[in-house]
Amino acid sequence: MTFAAVDVIRTKRDGGVLSDAAIDWVVDAYTKGVVADEQMSALAMAILLRGMTPAEIARWTAAMIASGERLDLSAVDRPTADKHSTGGVGDKITLPLTPLVAACGVAVPQLSGRGLGHTGGTLDKLESIPGWRARLDNAEFIAQLRDVGAVICAAGDGLAPADRKLYALRDVTGTVEAIPLIASSIMSKKIAEGTGALVLDVKVGSGAFMKSLDDARELARTMVDLGTAHGVRTVALLTDMSTPLGLAVGNAVEVTESVEVLAGGGPADVVELTLALAREMLDAAGRPDADPAAALADGRAMDAWRSMVRAQGGDPDAALPTARETHTVTAAADGFVSAVDAYAIGIAAWRLGAGRARKEDPVSAAAGVVLHRKPGDPVRAGEPLYELRTDDPNRFEAALSAAAEAVSISAEPPVPTALVIDRLA
Ligand code: URA
């Protein structure tokens, strides 16, 4: 069935509901270049302003999946489970989590992205390991999943091509922040990847896409329902992203912190979230009795990490890049750290060179921010709060202005807050 794009746009502009046939047609025609970018931009804006019904979101997601291939992981002789985070500051959890879950007998097919703006990207972090390569073809992806049980790599071009085109368009037309479009974008890729179970880490707070709990809950609900409708056992945790995760924000520094976690140490919040997500993944994959804390403590997760890095050409023993220049910011007064603002620290790390402004920009492996204090820690005037790292000292000024108000100090310790806020299934 053929439609006129302008009629589809008008229907949504006026608050109507798009028919299944109209959705199938417009997604397919846009992927093939029959619907022009300016028409899809207008439709995306109408969707952002008018919203979509659950049935429209489900059909839109199915059409995006159908725009490309759906991977068949039946050659893998174990259950599979993946995790997706909506993105945050210092969110390196995929790095320790993927080998940890693999070490507990569940294969993890993790297709990841690069950072854009203030949030980091898993592939950028792993590329700070000498020799490591992000691109695998489908046969290599499935072979590594079978042999090692853990893969973190870039999504191939054949997976949800409609989303690749639409996401680039949304990025430059102010239409990223529409819950139906975010949910269908994320879930089309995860469903097409072929995972049996999926755990969503939906971030809430200053460093997250979703600043309010209500929006985060709506996004989580929409994604869980989409996954379930497509036969993927899907669970979501809502987790706090008002404070950076761990102490390290950047690329190589986050790999170093992840390896500390795999060695049985690392910051308490990173360990807590890694274990919480691992338990959810193991449970959703039908292995509720597996003990991820034991696999961290006895070195099995570290062994899986080393095998995973080696399988993609990386040297797990190689020294990681370090920054040529550092600048330490100290406390102006005695007291307790009451807040470390994730968004401000994320922008500072980005300005130091850890992130990119445009998709084609390179990132610096060595740049980033290392926190010396987290909320609740006591501090004395003159003691270090955080350290900026970069190869280019001209970047300090912009990073310092971004981070100027990031750390708050109060006379009394703050009331502790929960890292895992809610769970939806
Ligand atoms: N990540 C995605 O893959 N898609 C979105 O729309 C937003 C975040």
Side-chain angles (χ1 to χ4, degrees):
M1 201 166 170
T2 299
F3 291 77
V6 70
D7 291 338
V8 180
I9 297 166
R10 280 197 192 108
T11 300
K12 188 43 75 182
R13 180 198 66 191
D14 297 341
V17 173
L18 302 179
S19 67
D20 289 353
I23 291 173
D24 293 350
W25 175 80
V26 81
V27 171
D28 181 56
Y30 177 60
T31 312
K32 292 180 174 146
V34 173
V35 166
D37 275 348
E38 55 271 26
Q39 293 174 310
M40 191 48 119
S41 320
L43 181 57
M45 185 58 83
I47 291 171
L48 182 138
L49 296 172
R50 293 294 197 171
M52 275 179 150
T53 65
E56 285 179 296
I57 300 173
R59 192 71 183 203
W60 187 275
T61 306
M64 300 236 285
I65 296 167
S67 74
E69 60 187 340
R70 190 164 174 176
L71 293 183
D72 175 5
L73 303 184
S74 58
V76 180
D77 59 359
R78 272 157 287 174
T80 52
D82 193 7
K83 185 264 316 190
H84 178 84
S85 158
T86 56
V89 176
D91 184 3
K92 73 276 299 169
I93 302 293
T94 294
L95 276 58
L97 179 66
T98 302
L100 171 61
V101 172
C104 295
V106 169
V108 186
Q110 171 69 239
L111 297 178
S112 294
R114 296 182 187 282
L116 194 63
H118 74 282
T119 63
T122 299
L123 301 180
D124 295 329
K125 294 170 197 180
L126 284 165
E127 279 177 346
S128 59
I129 301 173
W132 188 86
R133 94 192 143 91
R135 281 216 157 267
L136 301 183
D137 64 29
N138 286 354
E140 290 173 315
F141 175 74
I142 291 171
Q144 185 173 327
L145 201 54
R146 208 180 42 222
D147 300 341
V148 181
V151 191
I152 304 174
C153 69
D157 293 340
L159 219 69
D163 177 63
R164 188 162 309 109
K165 216 174 154 189
L166 180 56
Y167 191 62
L169 186 73
R170 287 166 55 214
D171 204 26
V172 294
T173 56
T175 52
V176 168
E177 297 86 351
I179 287 178
L181 296 178
I182 297 174
S184 55
S185 166
I186 292 171
M187 293 306 291
S188 62
K189 287 173 287 201
K190 289 291 162 185
I191 294 164
E193 156 199 291
T195 187
L198 177 65
V199 176
L200 299 160
D201 181 4
V202 179
K203 304 283 188 198
V204 199
S206 77
F209 245 129
M210 297 288 137
K211 313 287 180 202
S212 86
L213 196 51
D214 283 350
D215 285 349
R217 201 169 266 129
E218 185 184 337
L219 176 62
R221 182 78 270 151
T222 308
M223 292 197 290
V224 169
D225 290 348
L226 282 173
T228 307
H230 282 89
V232 179
R233 286 179 301 283
T234 309
V235 173
L237 296 185
L238 299 189
T239 70
D240 180 52
M241 187 27 75
S242 51
T243 306
L245 270 170
L247 299 172
V249 180
N251 295 308
V253 287
E254 291 198 36
V255 173
T256 301
E257 190 167 83
S258 302
V259 172
E260 285 166 18
V261 172
L262 288 160
D269 58 346
V270 180
V271 176
E272 178 189 342
L273 190 52
T274 302
L275 287 174
L277 290 165
R279 289 191 185 104
E280 293 290 353
M281 288 169 75
L282 292 164
D283 194 33
R287 297 281 164 94
D289 298 331
D291 183 356
L296 262 192
D298 65 17
R300 276 179 290 150
M302 179 67 98
D303 291 345
W305 160 262
R306 295 173 65 81
S307 304
M308 178 181 84
V309 169
R310 272 206 209 93
Q312 287 171 247
D315 176 358
D317 297 313
L320 300 179
T322 50
R324 281 195 289 275
E325 309 281 340
T326 62
H327 179 95
T328 300
V329 174
T330 56
D334 294 356
F336 292 87
V337 171
S338 54
V340 179
D341 183 63
Y343 182 71
I345 295 292
I347 296 285
W350 176 45
R351 290 186 178 169
L352 291 165
R356 55 170 68 77
R358 292 171 310 153
K359 274 202 279 300
E360 350 18 281
D361 292 346
V363 296
S364 159
V369 179
V370 175
L371 304 176
H372 287 253
R373 296 286 191 287
K374 292 271 286 196
D377 289 345
V379 67
R380 291 196 163 278
E383 288 181 346
L385 291 175
Y386 57 89
E387 187 184 309
L388 307 180
R389 298 185 179 185
T390 183
D391 285 335
D392 176 3
N394 294 322
R395 291 178 176 265
F396 280 136
E397 193 180 333
L400 281 167
S401 82
E405 309 291 325
V407 180
S408 311
I409 294 178
S410 57
E412 299 298 323
V415 178
T417 52
L419 182 54
V420 178
I421 301 166
D422 203 356
R423 177 183 189 276
L424 280 81

